[in-house]
Amino acid sequence: MDRSANTRTLVEVRHCRQAYPKDANNELIVLDDVNLRLSEGEMVGLLGRSGSGKSTLLSLITADNTHAYNRKIHLFDRLRGSGETIWDIKKQIGFLRS
């Protein structure tokens, strides 16, 4: 896709890592150094096996995961956590689950 200078970046995720405690000494890493940029006009499908981090990534982007505020996630040219509400984000994003 041609990303001209006029194309607005809608979502940008930089070096995102998400892990959950597995037991006392281990963690389950579901996202490790994930980088993603989605521009206006793009349609994207997120595919992967069960447990690969698809839902975690979407929940970070759509404000359904409180860990998003600890990540470098930009939505609509603003850093997450810079004053927007969860509803400000949700009214601009739609996604389908199958």
Side-chain angles (χ1 to χ4, degrees):
M1 168 170 233
D2 178 24
R3 290 191 183 175
S4 67
N6 297 341
T7 302
R8 179 175 157 199
T9 299
L10 301 178
V11 175
E12 186 171 6
V13 177
R14 290 187 236 153
H15 306 290
C16 186
R17 182 180 193 276
Q18 180 64 51
Y20 297 101
K22 193 172 183 179
D23 57 42
N25 300 317
N26 296 305
E27 59 185 9
L28 174 64
I29 300 170
V30 293
L31 300 174
D32 193 17
D33 198 29
V34 172
N35 294 287
L36 173 70
R37 177 179 285 162
L38 304 175
S39 298
E40 196 167 38
E42 289 183 315
M43 286 197 290
V44 177
L46 189 57
L47 305 172
R49 62 178 175 74
S50 178
S52 64
K54 303 177 302 293
S55 294
T56 298
L57 180 59
L58 287 174
S59 72
L60 289 167
I61 292 170
T62 61
D64 287 328
N65 188 321
T66 56
H67 294 144
Y69 295 104
N70 300 344
R71 308 293 181 267
K72 294 177 183 173
I73 299 175
H74 288 78
L75 298 175
F76 314 107
D77 299 322
R78 292 179 63 185
L79 180 65
R80 276 292 317 273
S82 62
E84 77 283 353
T85 69
I86 188 171
W87 305 113
D88 292 334
I89 294 167
K90 289 184 174 298
K91 71 182 175 187
Q92 297 185 63
I93 294 177
F95 66 93
L96 303 172
R97 292 183 183 180
S98 62

